[in-house]
Amino acid sequence: MIKNILEKALRDLLPELYQMKPGLCHCKQCEDDVLALALKVLPPKYVSREEGEVYARIELESPQFQVDMLEALLLAAEKVIAHPRCGSGQGKNVNPGENVGEADKKEKNGAKE
Ligand SMILES: [Zn+2]
């Protein structure tokens, strides 16, 4: 079984990211978008065995790589904040349920005033 342990490492940094980017929407869609964008710019860390995972984790835990991951997450967060696919708007108070079915239409126009 092969897995990219980078994904979990990025997930572990999400609480930190939300603190640094209070405008970032907390919904599952935006969380996944941030992770996907960050994963795209970072080199993947695939492991196939327990042993490999230990070595890869040592690399992931290095201060330099932590910084790289956080930078990638911050960039990704800015993109998602500018264009949230869930249609939540930029930190506005949105009535839950109000935008159901409107998210797609709002993607390009009218999302920001
Ligand atoms: Zn969202």
Side-chain angles (χ1 to χ4, degrees):
M1 192 178 89
I2 296 174
K3 54 179 174 174
N4 184 1
I5 64 167
L6 188 61
E7 186 185 335
K8 183 177 182 311
L10 287 171
R11 243 176 234 287
D12 289 346
L13 286 173
L14 282 177
E16 208 169 323
L17 179 70
Y18 283 128
Q19 278 190 353
M20 295 168 81
K21 290 281 174 193
L24 180 61
C25 173
H26 285 225
C27 80
K28 186 85 180 68
Q29 170 82 67
C30 293
E31 187 182 298
D32 282 351
D33 282 351
V34 167
L35 286 174
L37 286 166
L39 279 167
K40 258 192 234 172
V41 300
L42 291 162
K45 299 279 172 214
Y46 291 113
V47 294
S48 59
R49 293 180 305 169
E50 293 284 318
E51 201 182 325
E53 186 164 342
V54 172
Y55 288 118
R57 275 191 195 288
I58 291 168
E59 203 184 332
L60 286 181
E61 279 162 17
S62 79
Q64 182 55 53
F65 204 76
Q66 293 281 318
V67 169
D68 288 350
M69 286 195 294
L70 207 51
E71 265 176 18
L73 283 170
L74 284 169
L75 278 174
E78 275 163 21
K79 286 183 196 168
V80 171
I81 289 167
H83 302 282
R85 287 205 295 163
C86 65
S88 76
Q90 299 191 29
K92 280 188 234 166
N93 285 329
V94 175
N95 197 353
E98 196 181 18
N99 288 323
V100 175
E102 293 288 326
D104 288 340
K105 287 180 217 162
K106 289 180 79 171
E107 197 177 337
K108 275 212 149 75
N109 301 313
K112 48 189 167 187
E113 295 180 20

